[in-house]
Amino acid sequence: MKTEKKNSPIESKIVLSTLWIFVLINMIYADIMGMLRPGYLELLEQASKELTSGAVLTFSILLEIPIILILLSRILSRKWNRICNFIAVPISIIYVIFGGLTNPPISYIFFATIEIIALIIILYLACKWPKQEMIEE
């Protein structure tokens, strides 16, 4: 007799959502630790004079991707979940890399490395997410 393997998609959803939480927390702490470096306030003051509202909106949208993927990973079907992760992971990796191009502190490099590894794991899990498998009883 064949029965559906229980909890496989739910477990995949939970793991993906948890990994997105992990990535987001690392992003937040990378920014917090970056604020501790000498000269940060002067850099922030200069940047605030040069950044347009469109640039701030762009950064906001890019940061919203990991936030929304926490929820979407839990509620979307396997098909749409995979599609969203296939799109979100490369965008997030690019965001992490380009966020640290201007003389990043060593703490940012550390967090960025962890974030990229976690994002690659997310992509791997989304690629390998099995269809509902049948198991023999």
Side-chain angles (χ1 to χ4, degrees):
M1 171 188 219
K2 290 185 178 188
T3 59
E4 286 189 27
K5 187 176 179 183
K6 293 184 178 182
N7 297 331
S8 179
I10 293 172
E11 290 172 6
S12 296
K13 289 179 177 187
I14 291 169
V15 170
L16 288 173
S17 179
T18 303
L19 282 167
W20 279 108
I21 292 168
F22 178 80
V23 168
L24 181 63
I25 290 171
N26 273 277
M27 287 178 166
I28 293 167
Y29 274 93
D31 290 343
I32 291 170
M33 296 305 291
M35 292 178 200
L36 299 176
R37 69 179 169 177
Y40 177 78
L41 293 177
E42 293 80 13
L43 179 66
L44 187 60
E45 183 179 356
Q46 183 63 31
S48 69
K49 294 175 185 174
E50 297 174 7
L51 281 177
T52 65
S53 58
V56 173
L57 177 61
T58 300
F59 293 130
S60 299
I61 292 168
L62 291 171
L63 190 53
E64 183 64 28
I65 292 171
I67 296 169
I68 195 73
L69 261 295
I70 294 168
L71 174 63
L72 293 179
S73 293
R74 292 256 182 162
I75 64 172
L76 293 177
S77 68
R78 175 187 175 272
K79 175 186 173 184
W80 288 106
N81 214 317
R82 292 177 79 214
I83 290 169
C84 286
N85 279 286
F86 292 157
I87 294 168
V89 167
I91 292 170
S92 297
I93 289 173
I94 291 168
Y95 177 70
V96 168
I97 291 170
F98 282 102
L101 286 181
T102 56
N103 194 24
I106 192 74
S107 63
Y108 184 88
I109 294 168
F110 170 75
F111 281 111
T113 302
I114 299 298
E115 292 163 27
I116 290 170
I117 290 169
L119 288 163
I120 290 169
I121 292 169
I122 290 170
L123 190 60
Y124 174 79
L125 292 175
C127 286
K128 296 296 182 180
W129 189 346
K131 291 184 179 178
Q132 206 54 9
E133 295 177 23
M134 303 299 275
I135 59 172
E136 295 288 332
E137 266 191 355

